[in-house]
Amino acid sequence: MPAILLDGWLFIAPVIVASNLVKRFGNLVAVDNISFTVEEGEIFGFLGPNGAGKTTAMKMIQCVSPGSGGKLTVFGMDVNTEQRKIKRLIGVVPQENNFDPDFTVYENLLVYSRYFDIPRRDAEKTISELLDFVQLDEKKDTMIEHLSGGMKRRLILARALVNRSRLLILDEPTVGLDPQARHLIWDRIRKLQAQGSTIVLTTHYLEEAARLCDRLVIMDSGKILVEGKPDELVRDYIGTEIVEVQNGPEAVACLDRIAAKYETIGDMIQVYTDDPQKVANALLEECRPGHVVARKATLEDVFLKLTGRKLRE
Amino acid sequence: MYLEIPQLTGSVWKVWLRNRDVFMKTFRVNFIPPFIQPLLYLLAIGFGVGTFVNTVDGMPYPKFIAPAIIATGIMNSSFFECTFATYVRMYFQKTFDAIIATPLSIEEVIVGELLWGATRSTIDTILMLPVLAAFGVLEFPQSLLVIPFAFIGGFLFATIAMCFTAITPNIDSLNYPSFLFVTPMFLFSGTFFPLSLLPQPVQYMALAVLPLTHVVIIVRSFTTATLSGMVLLSLGWIVLVSLLFFLLSVNLMKRRLIA
């Protein structure tokens, strides 16, 4: 277990420790020698373009995809030997909803509780609490096909909690949801963290990652490119602000003159800076560009800078 | 490595229970075919074609084919449960993915599916018996032995079916074993005419590679109350082949689902 009492001191051991983790599918290296640590009670994010290896890493943590190399422990237990014990303690929200379409909302949770050996009476109590938590009590007897996309995601979050899991693995928890549904899920994820859960999530929504994650990694081609706190990553890799200006030889010459750090993206130039005023002024006064926009730098800028702008299929 | 013995726990029954719960939700649809099918076969082939047949092996034709109808039912129930129905759960509903995120292992999921397939054969057999009994083509009480045997026979076809499911590239390809394996068995396993009518080498072939042959031998010996040593031989064949395909199916499925 994560807490170790030694000489009267309480040491909190990490919930997940991965060192030099590798996963190969034939010739493809899906996870290429990654190491990371997830501490108890934090929200840890995995970001990356499609095919970066995020989902594979999630599947390794949930003990359903044996590694090809390296070491991975969850709650101090090895994923290769203690799958059953680990799986008893974790809750999983898969990327694709996988309910039993023949069952109602309530029956889905009840049948799922049975896989964890939860006595029926306890399960019934937990399920009514959970349906309340995800605001689905009124849909208790509804068949799955009659739920909206947002309701399904809320239900699958409830299902991941039937075993009172202490580690939650959320693979794109808000994919395809409208803003209202997304905010409700975010709110619930924060509540769960406040109640002491450790949460690992993957997402394509950089805003979501910036809002939720205490720490995150950005992956590409199976490797971890960077790790850190969202705001620190933005500061370290981009600066606090971005000035966007129309691309043209004049603008380029001007930026070179003031030794700005910039990047050309199609017909636009992005200038990374901590002093947008100075850059904007220089541009406006000296080279009359088409238009100039100053905005705050975001995690999305870091993401695109590190993983490039090429489409991933 | 294809014959590795799986490590199982009692959780296997949780998968069985899940399938039973779904079955009970849709029981109205599930209970009709086992009533109708034996009726149609018995009327069309037993009493229709049967008017041109005097006796087979000394018994009236409907009595000769009644066990074949049961044996075919045993085969169809578990074979189609563990091919098409299992494939739908595995691939389209992602039910297995949902279950292996809990303490259950993929091996336990597959074994639960196999046991459920065998159970479907048993349920269908229980439903078929009264229909056939109403026409007086079954000897009692020996015919009641068919019920426990349906589970054994059903398990045999479940394990074979699961191997096809494990290697099929898509759901449409499951039609191949249905047409090339199940249909020939339905016709050439001593079902509607005795094996002895076939040329000797073909007879041996049927005994060696058509599982339904052995199921028909055993069911017929029960429903006609003519138990013989042949029953033990066929039972031995079934147990050995079931064991082989059981190990093969679990390992093939594991390979397919846990890359």
PDB file of all heavy atoms in Angstrom, chain A residues 275-291:
ATOM      1  N   ASP A 275       7.075  39.847 -23.042  1.00  0.00           N
ATOM      2  CA  ASP A 275       6.761  41.272 -23.102  1.00  0.00           C
ATOM      3  C   ASP A 275       6.059  41.601 -24.422  1.00  0.00           C
ATOM      4  O   ASP A 275       6.667  42.126 -25.359  1.00  0.00           O
ATOM      5  CB  ASP A 275       8.070  42.068 -22.969  1.00  0.00           C
ATOM      6  CG  ASP A 275       7.797  43.541 -22.753  1.00  0.00           C
ATOM      7  OD1 ASP A 275       6.603  43.932 -22.806  1.00  0.00           O
ATOM      8  OD2 ASP A 275       8.767  44.281 -22.558  1.00  0.00           O
ATOM      9  N   PRO A 276       4.784  41.261 -24.532  1.00  0.00           N
ATOM     10  CA  PRO A 276       4.076  41.431 -25.803  1.00  0.00           C
ATOM     11  C   PRO A 276       3.989  42.902 -26.226  1.00  0.00           C
ATOM     12  O   PRO A 276       3.987  43.214 -27.403  1.00  0.00           O
ATOM     13  CB  PRO A 276       2.691  40.860 -25.507  1.00  0.00           C
ATOM     14  CG  PRO A 276       2.534  40.934 -24.027  1.00  0.00           C
ATOM     15  CD  PRO A 276       3.906  40.759 -23.461  1.00  0.00           C
ATOM     16  N   GLN A 277       3.941  43.768 -25.237  1.00  0.00           N
ATOM     17  CA  GLN A 277       3.841  45.201 -25.512  1.00  0.00           C
ATOM     18  C   GLN A 277       5.003  45.654 -26.394  1.00  0.00           C
ATOM     19  O   GLN A 277       4.826  46.300 -27.415  1.00  0.00           O
ATOM     20  CB  GLN A 277       3.872  45.958 -24.173  1.00  0.00           C
ATOM     21  CG  GLN A 277       3.496  47.418 -24.283  1.00  0.00           C
ATOM     22  CD  GLN A 277       1.982  47.581 -24.367  1.00  0.00           C
ATOM     23  OE1 GLN A 277       1.252  46.894 -23.648  1.00  0.00           O
ATOM     24  NE2 GLN A 277       1.515  48.441 -25.237  1.00  0.00           N
ATOM     25  N   LYS A 278       6.202  45.241 -25.993  1.00  0.00           N
ATOM     26  CA  LYS A 278       7.414  45.664 -26.697  1.00  0.00           C
ATOM     27  C   LYS A 278       7.407  45.147 -28.131  1.00  0.00           C
ATOM     28  O   LYS A 278       7.661  45.887 -29.075  1.00  0.00           O
ATOM     29  CB  LYS A 278       8.637  45.123 -25.935  1.00  0.00           C
ATOM     30  CG  LYS A 278       9.940  45.765 -26.359  1.00  0.00           C
ATOM     31  CD  LYS A 278      11.108  45.133 -25.609  1.00  0.00           C
ATOM     32  CE  LYS A 278      11.963  44.312 -26.564  1.00  0.00           C
ATOM     33  NZ  LYS A 278      12.869  43.423 -25.852  1.00  0.00           N
ATOM     34  N   VAL A 279       7.070  43.869 -28.280  1.00  0.00           N
ATOM     35  CA  VAL A 279       7.073  43.262 -29.609  1.00  0.00           C
ATOM     36  C   VAL A 279       6.029  43.939 -30.490  1.00  0.00           C
ATOM     37  O   VAL A 279       6.298  44.320 -31.634  1.00  0.00           O
ATOM     38  CB  VAL A 279       6.798  41.743 -29.510  1.00  0.00           C
ATOM     39  CG1 VAL A 279       6.647  41.148 -30.904  1.00  0.00           C
ATOM     40  CG2 VAL A 279       7.911  41.057 -28.742  1.00  0.00           C
ATOM     41  N   ALA A 280       4.821  44.121 -29.930  1.00  0.00           N
ATOM     42  CA  ALA A 280       3.740  44.719 -30.713  1.00  0.00           C
ATOM     43  C   ALA A 280       4.102  46.144 -31.130  1.00  0.00           C
ATOM     44  O   ALA A 280       3.900  46.537 -32.290  1.00  0.00           O
ATOM     45  CB  ALA A 280       2.447  44.706 -29.908  1.00  0.00           C
ATOM     46  N   ASN A 281       4.651  46.872 -30.194  1.00  0.00           N
ATOM     47  CA  ASN A 281       5.031  48.241 -30.502  1.00  0.00           C
ATOM     48  C   ASN A 281       6.071  48.297 -31.611  1.00  0.00           C
ATOM     49  O   ASN A 281       5.959  49.071 -32.554  1.00  0.00           O
ATOM     50  CB  ASN A 281       5.601  48.939 -29.258  1.00  0.00           C
ATOM     51  CG  ASN A 281       4.475  49.382 -28.338  1.00  0.00           C
ATOM     52  OD1 ASN A 281       3.305  49.416 -28.754  1.00  0.00           O
ATOM     53  ND2 ASN A 281       4.810  49.717 -27.100  1.00  0.00           N
ATOM     54  N   ALA A 282       7.093  47.453 -31.480  1.00  0.00           N
ATOM     55  CA  ALA A 282       8.152  47.423 -32.478  1.00  0.00           C
ATOM     56  C   ALA A 282       7.564  47.132 -33.845  1.00  0.00           C
ATOM     57  O   ALA A 282       7.899  47.789 -34.836  1.00  0.00           O
ATOM     58  CB  ALA A 282       9.188  46.378 -32.101  1.00  0.00           C
ATOM     59  N   LEU A 283       6.665  46.137 -33.897  1.00  0.00           N
ATOM     60  CA  LEU A 283       6.076  45.769 -35.180  1.00  0.00           C
ATOM     61  C   LEU A 283       5.242  46.900 -35.755  1.00  0.00           C
ATOM     62  O   LEU A 283       5.331  47.238 -36.932  1.00  0.00           O
ATOM     63  CB  LEU A 283       5.200  44.514 -35.000  1.00  0.00           C
ATOM     64  CG  LEU A 283       5.949  43.189 -34.858  1.00  0.00           C
ATOM     65  CD1 LEU A 283       5.011  42.109 -34.346  1.00  0.00           C
ATOM     66  CD2 LEU A 283       6.531  42.774 -36.203  1.00  0.00           C
ATOM     67  N   LEU A 284       4.403  47.474 -34.906  1.00  0.00           N
ATOM     68  CA  LEU A 284       3.468  48.500 -35.382  1.00  0.00           C
ATOM     69  C   LEU A 284       4.208  49.757 -35.846  1.00  0.00           C
ATOM     70  O   LEU A 284       3.856  50.359 -36.851  1.00  0.00           O
ATOM     71  CB  LEU A 284       2.464  48.857 -34.288  1.00  0.00           C
ATOM     72  CG  LEU A 284       1.419  47.766 -33.988  1.00  0.00           C
ATOM     73  CD1 LEU A 284       0.688  48.053 -32.690  1.00  0.00           C
ATOM     74  CD2 LEU A 284       0.439  47.630 -35.147  1.00  0.00           C
ATOM     75  N   GLU A 285       5.261  50.123 -35.101  1.00  0.00           N
ATOM     76  CA  GLU A 285       5.955  51.362 -35.422  1.00  0.00           C
ATOM     77  C   GLU A 285       6.889  51.222 -36.604  1.00  0.00           C
ATOM     78  O   GLU A 285       7.016  52.112 -37.424  1.00  0.00           O
ATOM     79  CB  GLU A 285       6.755  51.854 -34.201  1.00  0.00           C
ATOM     80  CG  GLU A 285       5.863  52.506 -33.165  1.00  0.00           C
ATOM     81  CD  GLU A 285       6.553  52.633 -31.815  1.00  0.00           C
ATOM     82  OE1 GLU A 285       7.799  52.475 -31.775  1.00  0.00           O
ATOM     83  OE2 GLU A 285       5.849  52.846 -30.822  1.00  0.00           O
ATOM     84  N   GLU A 286       7.559  50.052 -36.694  1.00  0.00           N
ATOM     85  CA  GLU A 286       8.637  49.967 -37.665  1.00  0.00           C
ATOM     86  C   GLU A 286       8.253  49.327 -38.988  1.00  0.00           C
ATOM     87  O   GLU A 286       8.868  49.572 -40.001  1.00  0.00           O
ATOM     88  CB  GLU A 286       9.823  49.206 -37.064  1.00  0.00           C
ATOM     89  CG  GLU A 286      10.443  49.980 -35.911  1.00  0.00           C
ATOM     90  CD  GLU A 286      11.572  49.195 -35.274  1.00  0.00           C
ATOM     91  OE1 GLU A 286      12.299  48.509 -36.019  1.00  0.00           O
ATOM     92  OE2 GLU A 286      11.704  49.248 -34.045  1.00  0.00           O
ATOM     93  N   CYS A 287       7.297  48.411 -39.002  1.00  0.00           N
ATOM     94  CA  CYS A 287       7.080  47.729 -40.280  1.00  0.00           C
ATOM     95  C   CYS A 287       5.632  47.614 -40.722  1.00  0.00           C
ATOM     96  O   CYS A 287       5.328  46.883 -41.652  1.00  0.00           O
ATOM     97  CB  CYS A 287       7.761  46.355 -40.247  1.00  0.00           C
ATOM     98  SG  CYS A 287       7.299  45.374 -38.849  1.00  0.00           S
ATOM     99  N   ARG A 288       4.708  48.282 -40.074  1.00  0.00           N
ATOM    100  CA  ARG A 288       3.306  48.332 -40.512  1.00  0.00           C
ATOM    101  C   ARG A 288       2.804  46.979 -41.007  1.00  0.00           C
ATOM    102  O   ARG A 288       2.602  46.787 -42.215  1.00  0.00           O
ATOM    103  CB  ARG A 288       3.140  49.366 -41.638  1.00  0.00           C
ATOM    104  CG  ARG A 288       3.547  50.744 -41.244  1.00  0.00           C
ATOM    105  CD  ARG A 288       3.551  51.710 -42.412  1.00  0.00           C
ATOM    106  NE  ARG A 288       4.293  52.915 -42.071  1.00  0.00           N
ATOM    107  CZ  ARG A 288       3.812  53.835 -41.225  1.00  0.00           C
ATOM    108  NH1 ARG A 288       2.622  53.707 -40.693  1.00  0.00           N
ATOM    109  NH2 ARG A 288       4.544  54.878 -40.935  1.00  0.00           N
ATOM    110  N   PRO A 289       2.695  46.049 -40.147  1.00  0.00           N
ATOM    111  CA  PRO A 289       2.209  44.721 -40.563  1.00  0.00           C
ATOM    112  C   PRO A 289       0.698  44.759 -40.812  1.00  0.00           C
ATOM    113  O   PRO A 289       0.046  45.737 -40.456  1.00  0.00           O
ATOM    114  CB  PRO A 289       2.529  43.859 -39.347  1.00  0.00           C
ATOM    115  CG  PRO A 289       2.464  44.809 -38.202  1.00  0.00           C
ATOM    116  CD  PRO A 289       2.845  46.170 -38.709  1.00  0.00           C
ATOM    117  N   GLY A 290       0.160  43.670 -41.433  1.00  0.00           N
ATOM    118  CA  GLY A 290      -1.278  43.611 -41.722  1.00  0.00           C
ATOM    119  C   GLY A 290      -2.093  43.748 -40.450  1.00  0.00           C
ATOM    120  O   GLY A 290      -2.833  44.703 -40.274  1.00  0.00           O
ATOM    121  N   HIS A 291      -1.946  42.805 -39.557  1.00  0.00           N
ATOM    122  CA  HIS A 291      -2.609  42.963 -38.268  1.00  0.00           C
ATOM    123  C   HIS A 291      -1.780  42.262 -37.196  1.00  0.00           C
ATOM    124  O   HIS A 291      -1.053  41.316 -37.486  1.00  0.00           O
ATOM    125  CB  HIS A 291      -4.051  42.441 -38.296  1.00  0.00           C
ATOM    126  CG  HIS A 291      -4.140  40.946 -38.414  1.00  0.00           C
ATOM    127  ND1 HIS A 291      -4.231  40.305 -39.627  1.00  0.00           N
ATOM    128  CD2 HIS A 291      -4.136  39.981 -37.465  1.00  0.00           C
ATOM    129  CE1 HIS A 291      -4.277  38.999 -39.426  1.00  0.00           C
ATOM    130  NE2 HIS A 291      -4.222  38.771 -38.129  1.00  0.00           N
TER     131      HIS A 291
END
